Amino acid sequence: MFELFKRREFGDYISDTFQFFRQNGKHFFKTYFTISGGLLMLLVVVSYFLFKVYLDFFLKIDNTAKNADFLTGYLYENLPLIIIAAIFVFLFMILLSMFNYAIPVIYLDLYDKHKGNTFETKEVLARFKKSFKKILVFFLGIVFLVTPILMVLFVLLVLLCFILIGIPLLLMAIPASFSWITLSFFEYMNTDKTFFDSLGEGFRHVKSQFFPIVGSCMIMYIMIQITMTVFSFIPYFFGMASMVTTLQNPTSDSDPFSTMRIMMLVVMVMTMLMSYILNNLLIINQGLIYYSRREYNENISSTDSIDLIGSE
C-alpha cells in the first residue's frame, strides 16, 4: 500500500507522485475516466466547434478587411447567441473543473480510509454528489473572491518585471498561488472548516515549507508542459508535412491551408484535453503535500503504529 502520511521533502514530493501512479494509476484513471469521460468527450466537441468558429471568423475578417464595420455588425447581429454560448461555456467549464479537481481529492481520502484502492467508482461518485454543494461554494468563492485579488497581484508583478525583480517573484507567485488554492481545497473537503478558515490553513501549509512545495509544483508543471508539447507537435508535424506535399504538387485540387487549419484545430483540442487529464498529476502531487503536512503537524502514522501495536 502506498503511504500517504509521510514526512516528505522536495525530492520526495516529485518521486512519490510518480510512485503513486505506478502503483495506483490504472485504478485511478479508470475511476477518473468513468466519471469524467462523458464531460471530456463533450469538451472535445465544444472545443472543436469553438476553435473552428474562431479561426473561420478571423479568416473572414482578413478577407473583408475593407469593410470597417464588419466586426461591429457581426457582434451586433449575433449578440444574443454569443451571450448564451458564453454562459453555457462558463457553466460547463466550472462543472468540468469541479469534477477535475474534486475526483483526486475524494480519491485520496477514500484511499486513506480504505487503506488502499479497494473502493469502487460509485463510492467516489457518491461522495462527489454528497459534497456537491460544498465543492460549488468553494469554486464560486475562488472565482469571485480570490481570483480578482490574484489578478491584481499578478498585474503588479508583471509591472515589476520592467525592473527585473518582478520576474523571479512572478515565477514563484504562480505555483505558490496554485498550491495555496489546492491545499485549501484539500483542507476544505477533508475537514469541517469554513471556506476562509481553509484558505488560512492552506496558506500556512505553503508558508511552512515554501520552497519545497513551490519548487515541486513548478517542476511538475514543467514536466506536464513538455509532455503536452510533444503530444501536440505530432499532429502539427503531419499537418506541415501534408501542406508541403500539396504545395509541391500544384495540380492537386486539395487546399493545403485547409489541411493546416484542421491540424491547428486538432492541436488546440488535444492541448486542452491533455491539460485536464495531466492536471491530475499536479493535484495528486499537491495531495501528497497535504498529507505530508498533516503528518508533520499531527504525527498520524506514528499514532496509527502505536494503535496497531496496542491492538496486538
Side-chain angles (χ1 to χ4, degrees), residues 194-310:
T194 64
F195 173 76
F196 291 104
D197 288 339
S198 298
L199 288 178
E201 190 63 30
F203 182 81
R204 284 188 285 273
H205 285 322
V206 175
K207 183 181 176 181
S208 64
Q209 212 178 14
F210 183 81
F211 287 105
I213 291 175
V214 173
S216 66
C217 181
M218 186 180 298
I219 294 298
M220 292 299 299
Y221 180 78
I222 292 173
M223 290 180 179
I224 290 172
Q225 290 302 311
I226 292 174
T227 304
M228 287 173 56
T229 301
V230 171
F231 273 97
S232 62
F233 182 77
I234 295 173
Y236 182 79
F237 173 79
F238 282 109
M240 288 293 295
S242 176
M243 186 180 71
V244 171
T245 303
T246 306
L247 289 173
Q248 290 177 346
N249 184 17
T251 60
S252 175
D253 295 332
S254 60
D255 180 7
F257 297 101
S258 176
T259 303
M260 190 60 193
R261 283 198 298 270
I262 294 174
M263 288 300 105
M264 288 178 64
L265 287 171
V266 172
V267 168
M268 292 177 181
V269 172
M270 281 188 60
T271 300
M272 180 168 288
L273 181 63
M274 291 295 296
S275 68
Y276 274 94
I277 296 174
L278 294 177
N279 194 54
N280 286 292
L281 293 174
L282 267 176
I283 301 175
I284 292 295
N285 172 260
Q286 296 301 302
L288 298 185
I289 292 173
Y290 169 75
Y291 286 100
S292 177
R293 293 313 311 166
R294 283 187 58 186
E295 175 62 23
Y296 274 105
N297 298 332
E298 304 172 30
N299 291 317
I300 293 176
S301 63
S302 300
T303 303
D304 290 345
S305 299
I306 295 174
D307 292 340
L308 182 62
I309 294 173

Side-chain angles (χ1 to χ4, degrees), residues 92-266:
F92 174 71
M93 297 303 289
I94 287 289
L95 179 62
L96 183 57
S97 297
M98 287 172 60
F99 271 102
N100 209 63
Y101 275 82
I103 289 174
V105 176
I106 295 172
Y107 186 94
L108 288 179
D109 185 50
L110 291 175
Y111 190 92
D112 172 45
K113 287 181 169 56
H114 286 263
K115 305 303 179 185
N117 58 10
T118 56
F119 52 93
E120 298 180 1
T121 301
K122 61 182 181 181
E123 294 182 60
V124 179
L125 189 58
R127 173 74 181 279
F128 180 87
K129 292 178 179 178
K130 182 180 178 181
S131 306
F132 181 81
K133 183 179 178 180
K134 193 173 185 178
I135 298 168
L136 182 62
V137 168
F138 185 88
F139 270 81
L140 292 178
I142 293 298
V143 171
F144 294 107
L145 296 177
V146 177
T147 300
I149 297 173
L150 291 179
M151 289 178 66
V152 173
L153 174 63
F154 289 145
V155 168
L156 293 175
L157 291 177
V158 169
L159 294 177
L160 286 176
C161 289
F162 290 103
I163 57 174
L164 299 181
I165 191 174
I167 297 177
L169 292 177
L170 185 62
L171 291 176
M172 288 190 293
I174 294 174
S177 300
F178 178 84
S179 293
W180 171 44
I181 292 173
T182 309
L183 292 176
S184 299
F185 186 49
F186 271 94
E187 193 72 32
Y188 185 69
M189 288 289 291
N190 294 326
T191 66
D192 294 327
K193 293 179 181 176
T194 64
F195 173 76
F196 291 104
D197 288 339
S198 298
L199 288 178
E201 190 63 30
F203 182 81
R204 284 188 285 273
H205 285 322
V206 175
K207 183 181 176 181
S208 64
Q209 212 178 14
F210 183 81
F211 287 105
I213 291 175
V214 173
S216 66
C217 181
M218 186 180 298
I219 294 298
M220 292 299 299
Y221 180 78
I222 292 173
M223 290 180 179
I224 290 172
Q225 290 302 311
I226 292 174
T227 304
M228 287 173 56
T229 301
V230 171
F231 273 97
S232 62
F233 182 77
I234 295 173
Y236 182 79
F237 173 79
F238 282 109
M240 288 293 295
S242 176
M243 186 180 71
V244 171
T245 303
T246 306
L247 289 173
Q248 290 177 346
N249 184 17
T251 60
S252 175
D253 295 332
S254 60
D255 180 7
F257 297 101
S258 176
T259 303
M260 190 60 193
R261 283 198 298 270
I262 294 174
M263 288 300 105
M264 288 178 64
L265 287 171
V266 172

